Amino acid sequence: MTFGEKLKKLRNDNGLTQEQLADKIFVTRTAISKWETDKGFPSIDSLKAISNLFNIKIDDLISDEDIENKKILDEKVAKSCYYVAIVFLGLTVLFTLLAYFLKLPLLNIGSLIGMAGYVIFGILSKPRYKRLQIKKLIIPYVLSRVAIFAVVLGVIIYTMVTL
């Protein structure tokens, strides 16, 4: 039984609507709906509140299957962030080349915005649980993104100086 199924059963057994449960644990009804359909997972604070409200141990609320569902959700979000990062990288290259060949330095603003988006979404493209697992390797990962940023920044500066 997934966390969502357990939560729905507990809520129904206690005669609560999603809205009433949300009010009791200080979240939105939408959050309860997401949790019950296994499209999201509550924070530790929300788990504690649910545990106290229904007088059940947190261990009984979550299971190995729930942890796997959380990993799958994290991987879906990370994959989306990866695709967005690639789009930002493409925009960065496009704006940089356009600025260079068209001799329009204002296009470098698009390059900088694209690069910032690439760095941010590049870091988010690793699932949260993996970022926490390999904290030792996160520094080289971030440094590689910063190195790419430095190269693009160098091209932008070169373009502006030569115009």
Side-chain angles (χ1 to χ4, degrees):
M1 184 181 274
T2 67
F3 171 79
E5 292 167 342
K6 290 176 191 175
L7 180 62
K8 188 172 185 175
K9 182 177 179 348
L10 284 168
R11 181 179 59 77
N12 288 332
D13 289 349
N14 286 278
L16 296 172
T17 65
Q18 287 182 343
E19 187 72 39
Q20 291 169 331
L21 176 58
D23 289 342
K24 288 183 183 290
I25 63 171
F26 308 106
V27 297
T28 64
R29 188 208 56 77
T30 309
I32 301 294
S33 176
K34 276 178 146 179
W35 300 342
E36 287 185 355
T37 57
D38 292 317
K39 293 181 181 166
F41 203 78
S43 67
I44 292 295
D45 292 334
S46 295
L47 280 172
K48 286 179 185 177
I50 293 166
S51 171
N52 290 335
L53 179 66
F54 294 122
N55 198 19
I56 187 171
K57 290 191 279 184
I58 292 177
D59 289 346
D60 294 337
L61 279 174
I62 58 175
S63 65
D64 291 339
E65 185 179 320
D66 296 327
I67 293 168
E68 274 306 307
N69 287 341
K70 176 72 171 141
K71 283 183 179 181
I72 290 169
L73 284 173
D74 282 349
E75 287 173 357
K76 282 174 79 175
V77 169
K79 195 174 199 176
S80 298
C81 287
Y82 173 78
Y83 292 131
V84 172
I86 296 300
V87 168
F88 272 113
L89 182 60
L91 289 172
T92 300
V93 170
L94 176 69
F95 276 108
T96 303
L97 292 173
L98 286 173
Y100 180 76
F101 288 115
L102 298 176
K103 309 273 191 240
L104 295 171
L106 284 177
L107 291 176
N108 287 323
I109 295 170
S111 297
L112 287 173
I113 292 170
M115 198 62 233
Y118 171 71
V119 170
I120 291 167
F121 283 96
I123 290 169
L124 294 175
S125 69
K126 193 161 279 300
R128 180 173 160 69
Y129 73 91
K130 285 187 180 178
R131 286 192 308 248
L132 296 175
Q133 275 178 345
I134 55 171
K135 278 192 175 182
K136 293 177 185 172
L137 299 177
I138 199 78
I139 291 173
Y141 180 76
V142 171
L143 287 177
S144 70
R145 297 302 187 257
V146 171
I148 292 171
F149 182 77
V151 168
V152 171
L153 189 61
V155 171
I156 291 170
I157 291 170
Y158 175 78
T159 302
M160 292 176 75
V161 169
T162 58
L163 293 178

